[in-house]
Amino acid sequence: MILLRKNLIDGEWLGEAGSRNINPSNTNDVVGEYASAGPEEAKQAIAAAKAAFPAWSRSGPLARHAVLKKASDEIMARKDEIGRALAREEGKTLAEGVAETIRAAQIFDFFAGETLRLSGELVPSVRPGVGVELTREGVGVVGIITPWNFPIAIPAWKIAPALAYGNTIVFKPAELVPESAWTIVDILHRAGLPKGVLNLVMGKGSVVGQAMLDSPDINAISFTGSVGTGKRVAAASVEHMRKFQLEMGGKNPFVVLDDADLAVAIDCAINGAYFSTGQRCTASSRLIVTEGIHDRFVEAMKERLDKLVIGDALDGKTQIGPVVDQTQLKQDEDYIAIGRQEGAELAFGGDRLERGTPGFYLQPALFVGSNNAMRISREEIFGPVANVIRVKDYDEALAVANDTPFGLTSGICTTSLKHATHFKRNSEAGMVMVNLPTAGVDFHVAFGGRKGSSYGSREQGRYAMEFYTTVKTAYTFAG
């Protein structure tokens, strides 16, 4: 029996089956059927969120804390079940699916605590007898649009702060991963959210997303996805004078200097470039290596890549799962062809793989002999494809690392405190890693980038308050 998941609008589960969710490890496996909202359902969800905002925004911190803490506890208790469903629908390994689910639970737990730490400022006025209070209030109805690559963590780090700071929500997840989205909404709904506070509208971005962009009743939009769609979100938001927050692409550099510990460098590069099938905006897609260690690094990378286990995401032995769907697989293969045409040498991989079940399996690809002007160095591929760029020294490595329209994350592997310190200060990225993979961040600190990677205030941690609240200044004359 195939599950039927409906949209949640104004506290009611509504809709009929509109799309099927397919397992990328086994295309014969249907995860479930999911309702597809249209423009009218999106408008109903927005109206419900608008009607629910006055009461929820004035609810006490204990009410918000109770909902978020209960959701956190249930997600953690069901981590194996939810993590398995996540791996089944998205294709990341079972271990990664469970780890992402745990992260979602931790995010809700953190923001449950934040509801009890809300504070303001009381300052003296320059005028005698006048007091000044600065407080923060929810911005209103928040539209949340999330991608498919982190189907529970990214919704969690947007939904949790939105609720903690008193906002109501219209949530549109990616079409490829509706099960994780439905699960998190179901948990929050049963945790005691009043009707209309959180609304789920699954469906096409061109329909549901557009209705959200066109609505004057959405006061803020938090978006994670492609650069092209992010620009559309920005243009539509300016039209309505709403707040908007964008997390988009990355072409992240990982620098390896001659003095690096080779084993550490290989671990970081393999993890950053290929885990989660390379489908991370924080992936290390450019490996910038100085000439003294270059050849040893490339040989060690090929040896490690040859040992990776690529297979069904639900198999505990699998280290790299399938690509998410046929469209993404074709994009990856097209970029591999482009790299060859541009003159880069495919040193390893890049072939379609056959496994016991029909799926979107791709052997991780490594290019060498590339330069930073090639398309494979400039454009986000979003798959298990990385290229090595050979440079003379640290100064050239830093220049190449910064020569990109993106600026999400960067990394360096070195035993030199001098170079590590200089790189942290001079890397043009929002997040910098030293002797760590570029992918992998903590849930309680700021996440975000520069240039074409991000726009607006940071996500996660206490920095989330900047986007999900607005500041009010109140003056009182005592007489």
Side-chain angles (χ1 to χ4, degrees), residues 201-218:
V201 279
M202 299 178 288
K204 293 184 177 297
S206 59
V207 177
V208 177
Q210 191 61 49
M212 293 167 67
L213 295 185
D214 292 342
S215 175
D217 292 327
I218 288 188

Side-chain angles (χ1 to χ4, degrees), residues 313-394:
L314 299 181
D315 186 335
K317 297 177 182 177
T318 295
Q319 295 171 292
I320 306 290
V323 174
V324 71
D325 72 349
Q326 180 61 44
T327 300
Q328 187 61 48
L329 179 60
K330 183 180 185 304
Q331 178 172 303
D332 295 344
E333 291 180 317
D334 287 348
Y335 271 108
I336 291 170
I338 288 167
R340 284 172 155 167
Q341 292 164 8
E342 290 182 313
E345 176 191 345
L346 186 59
F348 186 90
D351 296 323
R352 286 286 304 270
L353 298 175
E354 298 294 330
R355 291 297 182 260
T357 52
F360 309 114
Y361 298 105
L362 179 66
Q363 189 177 31
L366 179 70
F367 281 102
V368 298
S370 62
N371 62 62
N372 208 45
M374 293 178 174
R375 286 182 63 189
I376 59 171
S377 300
R378 309 301 295 179
E379 300 171 14
E380 185 175 42
I381 299 172
F382 220 66
V385 183
N387 60 297
V388 178
I389 301 172
R390 185 172 187 151
V391 294
K392 180 181 179 181
D393 53 21
Y394 169 75

Side-chain angles (χ1 to χ4, degrees), residues 128-142:
V130 175
V132 185
E133 300 170 69
L134 289 90
T135 55
R136 288 185 176 270
E137 299 178 354
V139 296
V141 177
V142 177

Side-chain angles (χ1 to χ4, degrees), residues 390-412:
R390 185 172 187 151
V391 294
K392 180 181 179 181
D393 53 21
Y394 169 75
D395 289 337
E396 185 180 358
L398 178 63
V400 170
N402 286 338
D403 180 16
T404 173
F406 298 105
L408 183 55
T409 183
S410 66
I412 188 169

Side-chain angles (χ1 to χ4, degrees), residues 120-127 129-135 472-476:
E121 296 180 75
L122 181 64
V123 299
S125 170
V126 296
R127 293 169 288 175
V130 175
V132 185
E133 300 170 69
L134 289 90
T135 55
K472 176 179 285 184
T473 306
Y475 296 85
T476 303

